[in-house]
Amino acid sequence: MKNLSPKLTAIASGIALLSAHTSLAQDWPQWRGPNRDGKATGFSAPATWPKALTQKWKVSVGAGDATPALVGDKLYVFARQEADEITRCLSAATGKELWQNKYAAPAVVGPDVGHGGPRSSPATANGKVITLGVCGTVSCLDAATGQVVWRKDDFPGAWPQFHTAMSPLVVDGLVIAHLGKESEGAVVAYELATGTLKWKWAGEGPAYASPALLSVGNMKIIITQTAMSVVGLDAASGKLVWQTPFAAKGMAYNATTPIIDGQTVIYTGQGRGATAVSFEKQGDRLEAKTLWSNPDNSVAFNSPVLKDGLIFGLSQRGKFFCIKAQKGQTAWTEPTGGRGDFGCIVDAGSVLLGLTATAQLTVFQPSAEAYTELARFKVSDRQTYAYPVVAGNRLFIKDQDSVTLWTIE
């Protein structure tokens, strides 16, 4: 820029910074987006919704339910083909494979044999990609080359009944994962750079839930569902700072990510509705106060989103629902027309995007007054269990075999 005037240089620099910010704002770097809350940024809903989406590319990557991670112009996909679990880096623009890393993994056998691929979504941080295999293998790869930085299998032969499903969390240079089986497991923290074990909490084994991060004062707390409880662990040391019983009954499983709203945690589970708890730090102790409980609209394998004081989710009975977050009252429910225990909702700004296992993408308004559908699209001929990755006018959809880029035009 040495040939530009100072004014033009400033303008050009501002444009460059704006472009960089826009790219980063549209990233989906981990489970449920940048803040693990199901919110996508940088999306502008069209004035008139098209009758169909436009397919730009489709790539077969193998079986799995893991949501891809999008960072800049790279899409990181974790799936299984034949005997291997494979991490691929694809060009987000074209779907072209840039690199892949694979390792042999045990085949899934048992009641979940129909879901043979990974369920845990990759996490990206500091130029690295973290994956958690269906049988508990934790891998850290160089995001630029796919080379292995480190790989761990500290609980060999141990996983929950329906195999590993939690998605790793990276916080302050630590990779947090819940490993082992329901009766014997641990939340562990590995150093991102080296894989060194920094701490381990072996109080309870895992179910299928992924953690979220709560900040209270100067303390960062990992909130997650175990096989028997909802717990809060100090992110720096792994010390247990809060725990409440949350055991599933019968054929039910802990599988949801909590909502974090300031210093309030809202957790929900199959057959048990939703509960809101506020936290306050009292000296070295963490005080918790239950604000409300709502027994309606229990969720199974869906993590609700919070938007403008409203909680939107997909119940185990196949209904979209809205709950007023302040006092926990149900505002409305609406049948989805499909199976409801698997699915997801993404907050895309002015609209909500609901994707069910039948690959039906529904666009509806974020309102407490009533359910208002704006558009509906079929995004795959196969079942979908991953989140749609939303970036600008692009939707990346992972089904049971492929990744497809759709655009809204």
Side-chain angles (χ1 to χ4, degrees), residues 2 4 15 17 19 79 174 179 192 218 237 260 318 361 373:
K2 64 181 180 179
L4 297 177
I15 292 173
L17 287 172
S19 298
L174 297 178
L179 305 174
L192 175 62
N218 61 355
S237 66
I260 308 296
L361 182 73
E373 186 174 301

Side-chain angles (χ1 to χ4, degrees), residues 59-63 68-69 74-81 84-91 95-102 122 129 131 141 143 146 398 401 403:
V59 177
S60 178
V61 295
K74 306 293 192 302
L75 190 72
Y76 301 97
V77 183
F78 188 39
R80 182 187 183 100
Q81 284 187 322
D84 298 319
E85 289 184 337
I86 306 176
T87 303
R88 286 181 169 88
C89 176
L90 306 180
S91 164
K96 178 182 177 182
E97 183 176 304
L98 304 177
W99 57 254
Q100 70 167 246
N101 180 278
K102 64 183 180 181
V129 181
T131 64
L141 308 177
K398 171 67 174 76
D401 172 73
V403 177

Side-chain angles (χ1 to χ4, degrees), residues 320-337:
F320 291 126
F321 64 82
C322 175
I323 294 174
K324 297 179 181 179
Q326 184 175 6
K327 295 185 178 180
Q329 307 119 321
T330 299
W332 53 256
T333 61
E334 180 72 20
T336 65

Side-chain angles (χ1 to χ4, degrees), residues 10 25 34 86 116 134 145 151 157 176 195 232 236-237 252-253 298 317 322 330 400:
I86 306 176
V134 76
T145 66
R151 179 165 280 150
I176 311 298
S237 66
Y253 312 97
S298 295
R317 297 186 180 275
C322 175
T330 299
Q400 288 287 276

Side-chain angles (χ1 to χ4, degrees), residues 320-362:
F320 291 126
F321 64 82
C322 175
I323 294 174
K324 297 179 181 179
Q326 184 175 6
K327 295 185 178 180
Q329 307 119 321
T330 299
W332 53 256
T333 61
E334 180 72 20
T336 65
R339 185 177 177 183
D341 50 355
F342 288 94
C344 57
I345 294 179
V346 173
D347 173 2
S350 62
V351 298
L352 297 168
L353 305 177
L355 181 62
T356 64
T358 56
Q360 196 74 49
L361 182 73
T362 304

